Amino acid sequence: MLLSLKGKFLLLLLAVAAVSLSSSLFLSRLIIRDFQSYHEGEMEDRVYWVTADLEGTFEQHGGWPRDLLAKDTARALLLGLEIRVRDAGGALVMDSDQALALLPPLTRERVLAVSGPATKGGAYLPYPLFLKGEQVGQLEVRFLDRGKERFFISRANRFLALAALVLGLLAATLGIIAARRLARPITALATAAEAISRGELEQKIPVGGNDELGLLARSFNQMAHSLKLQNALRKKLHANAAHELRTPLAAMRAEVEGMLDGLVPAGREQLQSLNEEIGRLTRIVEGMEDLIQAEASPLNIRKSRILPSQLLQGITERYSPRFREKGVELAVRADKKLAALADPDRLSQIMINLLNNALKATAPGGSVTVAAAAAPDGTLISVADTGRGIAPDDLPHIFERFYRGNEGGLGLGLAIVRELVDAHGGRVEVRSEPGRGSTFTVFLPSS
Ligand code: ADP
């Protein structure tokens, strides 16, 4: 990892801060430039006012009266201009020092209060003074730098530097906090995933919020939970299977050893019994294969729109000889137009297992009814028998693997039914009354 997620995030935030800072720097440069040209224009206007004043004085008095010139010069000082006035011959007729000396003391004080602290800088610029097209003198001006402009610019620069510092610090802090927040759940996820790959399935990571990371954490927890469940189921199946196989194997072994020791005659009857045990073992192994396939069915289920009445009719036709043989009535009740969403092969297996159980449980003279009906958001398919029913103590366990009440079956049929119904996203329920019969109902969702 060249750069951690945290580092990348921090870098991104710093880059954003740098871009916003440089654009504000550019903007502030533009503002300062505009301010400077505005200031220059303003000073030009002031020179124009002073020129107009001086020309007016000359026009009124036909010359350069010193007391009026002193006033004009003092006003120019108040406007931030230090001036010198020369007559048409080029002789100096008034400058700031002379003007200040001529002013009454109070006025002088006021003028000095404004213009005094200013630094004088730069050369005098000449402006000719005209009356009716004829040059009557010359005004020389230099601008007093009263520091206002410099103050404005330095304040703007200081503000920018401060903003850069604050923004940089803020971006870095926010970046670190956000990066930590972002990286923490991902690191937790990586650690938990690693633990799972080592076989430690007991993993749960904290879910923070409803954003994408929260969703990821939730999905991860779900995945870890179902992995744990699957693992537990697999262990249980192995244990159950070993137990189921061990008993008939032990019986067979005892019988064969007895024959070898000469304690049991190796006659036709004994071989027949051995053959039956082998048949039972074969059925267990086949049943387990069916169950394993059923467990894998969520991965390869192929749902399509089917007509339950047709499917049920087909199955019951195939099974009716066995029912007839036992003297059990078999009936189908399903609306011909009713449609359902199901994998036909898997649904057939569900129905066959339920019909087998119903037939086993129903005494001659009884009946089994298979029905299909529409339900909100799906279809209900039921198998009802008038058989012996299921004891309340057995009822909660009949869907477990190898649970088989007091009969000699394998105890896998209903476990397979439940796996296949689950694979459809549906559910299976049972109602039973001992001595009166049982009804198994399968709900298949329509989506
Ligand atoms: P099996 O292969 O032994 O039939 P199942 O898983 O299909 O195993 O059924 C488990 C047990 O549930 C059966 O042994 C039986 O005791 C009980 N059972 C299932 N269906 C019925 C039914 N229709 N009537 C009465 N008992 C039933």
Side-chain angles (χ1 to χ4, degrees), residues 276-317:
E276 273 167 24
E277 278 304 319
I278 290 172
R280 208 177 116 66
L281 280 178
T282 312
R283 282 199 301 281
I284 290 179
V285 172
E286 283 169 358
M288 277 167 54
E289 272 172 1
D290 285 348
L291 183 62
I292 288 165
Q293 261 177 24
E295 277 181 339
S297 56
L299 304 174
N300 50 26
I301 193 154
R302 272 189 289 274
K303 284 204 232 178
S304 61
R305 210 141 272 288
I306 57 149
L307 295 175
S309 69
Q310 271 182 13
L311 185 125
L312 298 180
Q313 204 66 49
I315 295 170
T316 47
E317 263 164 33

Side-chain angles (χ1 to χ4, degrees), residues 357-358 360-361 385 388-390 398 403-405 407 409-415 438 440:
N357 284 350
K360 265 194 276 178
D385 64 59
R388 65 182 139 73
I390 303 164
I398 54 169
Y403 191 87
R404 51 178 173 247
E407 298 92 64
L410 295 178
L412 289 175
L414 287 179
S438 317
F440 286 82

